[in-house]
Amino acid sequence: MADDTDLDALSECALAEMARVRPVLDKIADKWTILILTVLCPRPARFNAIMRRLDGITHKALADALKRLERNGLVTRTVLPTAPIGVEYAITPLGHSLRQPFEALCTWALDHGAAIEAANHEHDSIKARQ
Amino acid sequence: MADDTDLDALSECALAEMARVRPVLDKIADKWTILILTVLCPRPARFNAIMRRLDGITHKALADALKRLERNGLVTRTVLPTAPIGVEYAITPLGHSLRQPFEALCTWALDHGAAIEAANHEHDSIKARQ
DNA sequence: CGGTATCCTTTCGGATACTG
DNA sequence: CAGTATCCGAAAGGATACCG
């Protein structure tokens, strides 16, 4: 019973931590956030330049994502004094700091993606046999 | 122009890597996956035990999430020979390996959550002034 | 107890069109 | 070029009820 209490305490602590983590992750984790940051990482880019790089993203999705990124302080938005008007988006230090933990996730995905695929196929074949 | 080519190559490489990473992340990244793994990390648990721990999750959401986790080889499902019937879920080594990269993300969230909050408020107050 | 099926509401994403 | 508004179908999420 003493063991149970200890384990409960640990798990409870982790779950309590999650309560603070979740709202943050909800803000940054959408379909395009990471891809946009990847594009902006080497250098700033303009709206249509980003769109050309991200094959498949729609006008609206990019506009929404950039608005959220700007609001969260991960990118900056600068209107250029050109004609016709131009807008340049650049990654902030805060946005840049996100790349390291995200790369840890990427590494995991690259390392274990095959294992997940294998588990999928095994699971499916077992179900098919039944 | 030579610089541009190099930067393009780097960015192109990162985007190409993303193409392999994305399908994996799509499989594991939903609202409850991480919380469930957190609960199961110290020791296995049964369906309703998990549900009691995760405040707010619905019956259906938990059932769906567990099915996906099992299919991806992140948890195991064991029917207990009890009456009434019981089912125990346990984390696999593969599931356990996911915790390290995820904790990197948690650390980032805990470290920079305040900065994002601040950016939100600053952004809102600027907009309100206009 | 564990799980599925159903229904219903809300959200999301794509397509299109229009403004500065 | 950048951005907004609108419409619409698809998908997600919650509540409920029922089966093994």
Side-chain angles (χ1 to χ4, degrees):
Chain A
M1 197 55 103
D3 287 321
D4 282 4
T5 307
D6 287 355
L7 288 169
D8 280 349
L10 278 171
S11 188
E12 226 52 59
C13 172
L15 286 176
E17 199 176 65
M18 285 302 306
R20 283 188 299 156
V21 170
R22 275 292 307 284
V24 182
L25 294 186
D26 284 347
K27 285 182 191 301
I28 63 166
D30 83 295
K31 207 176 172 186
W32 298 105
T33 294
I34 304 297
L35 288 172
I36 294 172
L37 290 182
T38 300
V39 169
L40 294 183
C41 199
R43 67 167 175 300
R46 289 169 54 170
F47 189 90
N48 282 326
I50 301 172
M51 197 166 159
R52 258 175 263 121
R53 284 291 203 68
L54 300 180
D55 202 46
I57 195 171
T58 61
H59 201 95
K60 181 191 174 189
L62 181 55
D64 291 349
L66 285 172
K67 237 185 290 182
R68 184 154 6 90
L69 286 170
E70 189 199 0
R71 180 161 189 274
N72 289 331
L74 299 177
V75 306
T76 58
R77 178 180 181 277
T78 312
V79 178
L80 304 173
T82 58
I85 199 172
V87 181
E88 189 168 81
Y89 291 92
I91 198 169
T92 64
L94 182 59
H96 197 79
S97 73
L98 182 54
R99 286 196 61 80
Q100 186 180 348
F102 180 72
E103 264 165 24
L105 215 58
C106 282
T107 302
W108 184 91
L110 293 174
D111 287 350
H112 299 89
I116 290 184
E117 282 276 321
N120 276 215
H121 292 141
E122 188 184 352
H123 187 266
D124 289 350
S125 65
I126 288 174
K127 275 192 70 175
R129 250 180 265 134
Q130 290 166 353
Chain B
M1 198 53 107
D3 288 322
D4 282 4
T5 307
D6 288 355
L7 288 170
D8 280 350
L10 279 171
S11 187
E12 227 52 61
C13 173
L15 286 178
E17 200 174 66
M18 286 301 305
R20 283 189 298 156
V21 170
R22 275 292 307 282
V24 181
L25 294 185
D26 283 347
K27 285 182 192 299
I28 62 164
D30 82 296
K31 208 177 173 187
W32 299 107
T33 294
I34 304 298
L35 289 173
I36 294 171
L37 290 182
T38 301
V39 169
L40 294 183
C41 199
R43 68 165 175 299
R46 288 169 54 170
F47 189 91
N48 282 326
I50 300 172
M51 198 166 158
R52 257 174 265 124
R53 285 289 203 69
L54 300 179
D55 202 47
I57 194 171
T58 60
H59 201 93
K60 182 190 172 189
L62 181 55
D64 290 351
L66 285 173
K67 237 186 292 182
R68 185 155 5 90
L69 285 171
E70 190 199 358
R71 180 162 188 273
N72 289 331
L74 299 176
V75 305
T76 58
R77 179 181 180 276
T78 313
V79 178
L80 304 173
T82 56
I85 198 171
V87 180
E88 189 168 80
Y89 291 91
I91 197 169
T92 65
L94 182 60
H96 197 79
S97 73
L98 183 54
R99 286 196 59 82
Q100 185 178 350
F102 181 71
E103 263 164 27
L105 215 57
C106 281
T107 302
W108 183 90
L110 293 174
D111 288 350
H112 300 88
I116 290 185
E117 282 277 321
N120 276 215
H121 292 141
E122 187 184 351
H123 188 265
D124 289 350
S125 67
I126 288 174
K127 275 192 71 175
R129 250 180 265 135
Q130 289 166 354

